[in-house]
Amino acid sequence: MDDKRDELRRLAAGFRTNLALRARSGTAGVPAGPVRRPASARPAGSEGTAGPAKVDAAGGLAGLRVVRDELGDCQRCKLAQGRKNLVYGVGNPDAHLVFVGEGPGADEDEQGEPFVGKAGQLLTKMIEAMGYERSDVYICNVVKCRPPGNRNPEPDEIAACEPFLKKQLGAIRPRMIVALGKFAAQCLLRDDTPISRLRGTFRSYEGIPLMPTFHPAYLLRDPSKKKEAWDDLKAVIAALRGPGSPPLRT
Ligand code: URA
């Protein structure tokens, strides 16, 4: 386990150095600093026409605000009755990379922020091992309110909430999505294949490459699966960095 952590730290350090060098030489596929993508850098005419959902003309922060306003004090499904906080999403509104989980747990419900409990701490480490800060990426869930007793969200709850996830992704228009765990992957891909078989291969969500991988909560229960999850994240890093970039150390 400690060896694994050391390896992750080494990989992250190597990745950061590599990005810094490539940024200095002007060849970086992914910016070395916070991965922000100003509206002016998006392809002309892409506003409101590309991506999974059209948030009028607004993308990024403005688009996310439109979607948040539309959610309001959401009462569209029965999860509203038990929630303390609606957990919308957190991070960079112009992120290249979005992580989608299942739904808030107790800690997230308490704090109104996704992935802040034990699984969230592991997710943060995974993000950092990829060479990002948590604030560089965007993190959200399929459902925005905590299912009681952390049960799986039910079909009517997903049906009520998923359109808002779609609109969030439409506002951000990331270059890549990572679906965390069976629930998010199966839901976004409309595919019942077990996560152990979905993971590791890029799929497409409304034209955006999507990598299914294990949920951090599952990795906490079965740390032997961390290597496979890390392989998936390395594939994501490599894809974001683009062709011709030197291979990551393994
Ligand atoms: N698990 C999830 O899927 N999402 C969270 O926000 C926290 C734990």
Side-chain angles (χ1 to χ4, degrees):
M1 192 55 209
D2 282 348
D3 286 355
K4 200 89 229 157
R5 278 213 196 95
D6 286 348
E7 190 204 343
L8 286 179
R9 267 190 220 108
R10 273 200 312 279
L11 278 169
F15 185 53
R16 278 184 208 284
T17 308
N18 187 277
L19 276 176
L21 288 172
R22 282 154 57 77
R24 246 175 268 143
S25 67
T27 58
V30 179
V35 188
R36 304 198 186 281
R37 190 169 41 129
S40 58
R42 289 188 206 121
S46 66
E47 294 80 6
T49 59
K54 288 140 190 102
V55 188
D56 300 323
L61 183 59
L64 285 175
R65 284 193 176 139
V66 170
V67 182
R68 181 64 191 88
D69 287 348
E70 194 185 336
L71 262 169
D73 178 29
C74 185
Q75 303 290 329
R76 291 171 182 82
C77 83
K78 55 190 180 300
L79 293 181
Q81 290 146 29
R83 74 161 182 247
K84 283 195 185 143
N85 284 297
L86 186 152
V87 180
Y88 180 57
V90 71
N92 178 359
D94 297 305
H96 285 241
L97 182 57
V98 173
F99 290 84
V100 180
E102 174 176 334
D107 295 312
E108 291 75 22
D109 181 47
E110 196 66 50
Q111 296 182 43
E113 182 172 327
F115 284 97
V116 289
K118 286 217 166 64
Q121 285 160 22
L122 178 57
L123 177 62
T124 302
K125 282 189 194 153
M126 290 157 68
I127 291 167
E128 288 171 356
M130 294 174 81
Y132 293 97
E133 299 298 325
R134 193 175 148 105
S135 56
D136 294 333
V137 302
Y138 193 81
I139 306 171
C140 55
N141 283 305
V142 174
V143 297
K144 312 269 177 266
C145 298
R146 183 191 180 203
N150 295 341
R151 65 157 169 75
N152 280 346
E154 292 174 354
D156 59 315
E157 298 157 358
I158 298 164
C161 217
E162 206 197 345
F164 293 93
L165 171 61
K166 212 170 182 181
K167 289 184 188 190
Q168 282 174 292
L169 294 170
I172 300 166
R173 289 189 280 274
R175 284 171 50 195
M176 183 81 67
I177 298 168
V178 174
L180 296 167
K182 155 191 149 145
F183 184 85
Q186 292 184 345
C187 180
L188 290 173
L189 296 173
R190 303 277 189 273
D191 186 331
D192 290 345
T193 307
I195 186 67
S196 54
R197 284 205 277 126
L198 280 177
R199 64 146 288 275
T201 305
F202 284 108
R203 298 283 296 269
S204 172
Y205 174 80
E206 309 241 348
I208 302 172
L210 180 149
M211 173 61 82
T213 194
F214 293 125
H215 194 287
Y218 176 68
L219 297 176
L220 288 174
R221 291 196 298 276
D222 185 355
S224 73
K225 295 285 188 283
K226 283 185 180 177
K227 171 165 184 330
E228 285 162 88
W230 179 234
D231 286 343
D232 301 342
L233 297 183
K234 283 191 295 190
V236 168
I237 298 166
L240 283 171
R241 289 164 75 200
S245 54
L248 283 169
R249 290 161 54 194
T250 48

